[in-house]
Amino acid sequence: ASKAEGQNRLHVFEPGLLLIRRLRSQLLEDLRAAIKGNGLVLHYQPVVELGTGRIEGVEALIRWDHPTRGRIMPDEFIPLAEDAGLISELGLWVLNTAVGQLRTWIDADLVDSRFSVRINISATDLQSLQFIEDVRAVLKETGVRPEQVVLELTEAAIVRGNDLDRYSLGGLRGLGVGIEIDDFGTGYSSISYLRRLPVDRVKVDRSLIEGLGTDPSQPALVAAVLQLVRACGLEAVWEGVETAEQAEHLRNLGCLSAQGYFFSKPVPPERIPALLAETSSESNRG
Ligand code: C2E
Ligand code: MG
Ligand code: MG
Ligand code: MG
């Protein structure tokens, strides 16, 4: 009887479900092909030293150029890749591509040893011991200094706080790469664990600076967050700076580094040399 019931229900929902399943499996097949082929690209967004305007590094941000659907943004396909077990493969591609790109910039003498590339890491990557080996391997292969590679992990990925995660964080840090908490301040109890985690910096979510320049109480909040982060022995990077006013406020409050459309949107790698040239001549003048 239960089987008949099941079939009956299936019958009712079939057309919609089948369509969704077919779309999804088609999309997954496309994503698999994209990882193996040339469908994925990394764009890079400058991280700027507020005092001088110097570009201190870039964040790698993935995009998928789908043959028929056009450009797909990470928020739309990263969750799909996670569900389908493709995230490790994707993460490895991002790691190798971003560190390889950094090697190219170093070889072209475009950047010095203080320049870093930041890479977004999924919770799954953090859980996999293979990932530590992958990081070790790419550092060895490219000869890039580990300090020039910074891994960005979201609070959500870190705060689940199981032992394996902590072990992996320790393992990654043992390689000498930087670790940064991404989207800091977007939830979870952000204070008690901050001091204990083996991380170097936090990247403060853009929601915390949205009101800078319009809401008179916002600077005090930013100052408080900065103080909290520093009291934990860490430094902060401020994300999502869209206006000159926000940048000015952050500078005046003593913030060191920031990132956002005001400085530059994420751009394809071939546009980075021009951005570097522009800002280095500006900071020489200033
Ligand atoms: P995220 O790491 O927090 O990256 C910041 C996001 O904010 C990026 O969106 C960036 O383009 C955008 N952004 C930068 N400046 C501004 C600004 O001034 N205003 C506004 N409104 N937005 C700004 P994007 O590229 O769509 O990436 C979204 C998220 O997808 C990332 O958030 C990250 O969590 C994830 N992601 C991106 N690339 C990768 C990757 O290679 N691997 C993994 N696992 N996740 C990735
Ligand atoms: Mg990030
Ligand atoms: Mg973020
Ligand atoms: Mg995010």
Side-chain angles (χ1 to χ4, degrees), residues 59 61 120 152 154 181-184 186 203-206 239-240 259:
E59 177 176 8
L61 294 157
N120 291 286
E152 296 191 0
T154 61
I181 301 178
D182 205 349
D183 302 346
F184 179 74
T186 50
K203 187 177 272 185
V204 184
D205 192 71
R206 71 165 177 273
E239 180 169 64
Q259 183 180 350

Side-chain angles (χ1 to χ4, degrees), residues 5-269:
E5 244 170 51
Q7 278 169 351
N8 201 25
R9 287 185 46 188
L10 246 189
H11 184 74
V12 172
F13 289 107
E14 197 168 30
L17 271 182
L18 266 186
L19 184 64
I20 289 171
R21 275 201 205 120
R22 215 174 285 145
L23 268 176
R24 202 185 130 86
S25 72
Q26 179 61 52
L27 211 53
L28 277 176
E29 212 173 286
D30 295 349
L31 183 55
R32 226 170 253 129
I35 296 172
K36 295 220 162 64
N38 302 311
L40 299 176
V41 290
L42 290 182
H43 282 194
Y44 296 87
Q45 185 178 35
V47 178
V48 173
E49 193 176 66
L50 282 165
T52 61
R54 182 179 72 91
I55 297 179
E56 59 178 55
V58 289
E59 177 176 8
L61 294 157
I62 197 169
R63 278 95 182 84
W64 176 12
D65 286 331
H66 189 283
T68 57
R69 291 166 203 274
R71 173 154 297 168
I72 307 181
M73 298 303 277
D75 284 334
E76 296 176 79
F77 69 89
I78 293 284
L80 185 75
E82 299 250 14
D83 286 351
L86 285 176
I87 194 74
S88 306
E89 222 179 308
L90 187 145
L92 181 60
W93 180 85
V94 171
L95 174 72
N96 288 332
T97 305
V99 179
Q101 181 63 64
L102 174 59
R103 180 75 249 175
T104 306
W105 286 327
I106 293 171
D107 288 344
D109 235 349
L110 285 165
V111 300
D112 63 21
S113 61
R114 291 175 301 168
F115 185 92
S116 62
V117 65
R118 286 98 193 286
I119 300 173
N120 291 286
I121 299 302
S122 73
T124 314
D125 289 327
L126 182 62
Q127 281 177 310
S128 137
L129 296 182
Q130 178 60 43
F131 187 72
I132 303 178
E133 291 316 308
D134 294 339
V135 174
R136 192 199 307 280
V138 76
L139 290 173
K140 190 168 170 213
E141 244 165 61
T142 57
V144 162
R145 293 152 50 114
E147 314 86 74
Q148 290 187 265
V149 175
V150 177
L151 305 178
E152 296 191 0
L153 284 146
T154 61
E155 277 188 88
I158 295 183
V159 172
R160 286 179 325 182
N162 65 49
D163 290 343
L164 181 58
D165 288 355
R166 216 161 287 141
Y167 179 82
S168 305
L169 266 187
L172 288 169
R173 202 131 186 266
L175 297 176
V177 298
I179 312 253
E180 205 162 275
I181 301 178
D182 205 349
D183 302 346
F184 179 74
T186 50
Y188 301 91
S189 53
S190 324
I191 300 171
S192 64
Y193 71 87
L194 253 195
R195 301 182 70 147
R196 290 181 282 115
L197 283 174
V199 302
D200 309 288
R201 302 222 270 188
V202 302
K203 187 177 272 185
V204 184
D205 192 71
R206 71 165 177 273
S207 56
L208 269 93
I209 63 161
E210 258 165 17
L212 271 185
T214 50
D215 177 350
S217 69
Q218 202 67 18
L221 181 69
V222 168
V225 172
L226 183 63
Q227 205 174 7
L228 169 72
V229 169
R230 287 188 178 152
C232 293
L234 306 174
E235 193 42 68
V237 183
W238 300 80
E239 180 169 64
V241 177
E242 292 183 348
T243 66
E245 215 170 10
Q246 286 173 327
E248 193 54 35
H249 270 289
L250 289 174
R251 199 180 1 250
N252 291 339
L253 289 165
C255 300
L256 297 181
S257 319
Q259 183 180 350
Y261 295 167
F262 170 67
F263 304 106
S264 168
K265 291 203 163 173
V267 297

